[in-house]
Amino acid sequence: MKRNPRKLKWTKAFRKSAGKEMIVDTTLTFAARRNIPVRYNRDHIETTLKAMERISEIRAKRERAFYKKRMAGNKERQREADRKLVAENEHLLPRQRASERMALEEMDEERVVVPALEEKRKQKLKQRLLVGGGVEEMDVD
């Protein structure tokens, strides 16, 4: 069965057309076959092997840079997708206990210390948390 190589994800044609591999690079031309017989020359072979090593280093460096550039905004996009998923399915998450909620609020208040907020926090410390999520005032002597 014939198939279009640009539609098969594992082919080089697909990867190049989708922008997942470098298309234009001078190091890629060195990988092309050359069917020209060359008389054996030890010095020529030695320089060729050194050049091959150097070319592979350059290609690897360029591929790393290409990959980093291609993946630059992925973390932010993934975070946004995660936030959207949590917002849509918030009803599936376990409810936060009142003690955890209070701890988070206290942490937020500690970041911005304002005298009015300091008074509210002292008042909150004088309250007793109930299991159902409510708050009961404590008798303070």
Side-chain angles (χ1 to χ4, degrees):
M1 181 157 74
K2 292 184 179 179
R3 293 181 186 242
N4 187 347
R6 282 172 295 186
K7 291 185 180 179
L8 298 173
K9 295 193 183 244
W10 55 269
T11 59
K12 284 281 199 182
F14 171 82
R15 293 188 62 78
K16 286 182 180 179
S17 66
K20 295 183 181 291
E21 272 190 31
M22 294 187 298
I23 299 171
V24 180
D25 192 25
T26 54
T27 59
L28 299 173
T29 59
F30 290 110
R33 278 190 161 187
R34 290 171 184 77
N35 295 327
I36 303 167
V38 179
R39 178 175 277 193
Y40 177 77
N41 182 355
R42 186 180 184 116
D43 296 331
H44 182 69
I45 300 293
E46 185 178 336
T47 55
T48 303
L49 290 174
K50 285 182 182 176
M52 287 170 60
E53 289 176 13
R54 180 71 178 131
I55 290 167
S56 65
E57 289 173 6
I58 292 169
R59 182 183 297 143
K61 184 179 177 182
R62 288 180 183 174
E63 284 176 353
R64 277 195 304 271
F66 180 78
Y67 180 80
K68 282 185 180 180
K69 185 177 178 183
R70 195 165 61 89
M71 297 293 161
N74 273 6
K75 281 188 180 178
E76 295 164 9
R77 274 187 243 124
Q78 185 62 40
R79 275 200 192 116
E80 286 301 318
D82 292 344
R83 285 187 184 118
K84 183 180 176 185
L85 183 70
V86 168
E88 289 174 355
N89 301 312
E90 196 169 358
H91 63 281
L92 298 174
L93 295 173
R95 290 198 172 159
Q96 197 175 34
R97 284 187 238 137
S99 59
E100 292 174 351
R101 197 176 313 124
M102 291 287 284
L104 286 174
E105 288 174 5
E106 286 180 13
M107 287 177 62
D108 289 340
E109 288 174 5
E110 288 175 3
R111 290 182 186 159
V112 180
V113 178
V114 179
L117 293 175
E118 193 71 30
E119 289 293 320
K120 285 183 181 179
R121 189 172 58 175
K122 286 181 182 177
Q123 289 175 354
K124 286 183 182 179
L125 293 176
K126 295 176 185 176
Q127 297 173 346
R128 190 172 83 187
L129 300 175
L130 297 175
V131 176
V135 178
E136 181 183 47
E137 293 292 327
M138 290 177 48
D139 295 330
V140 180
D141 292 324

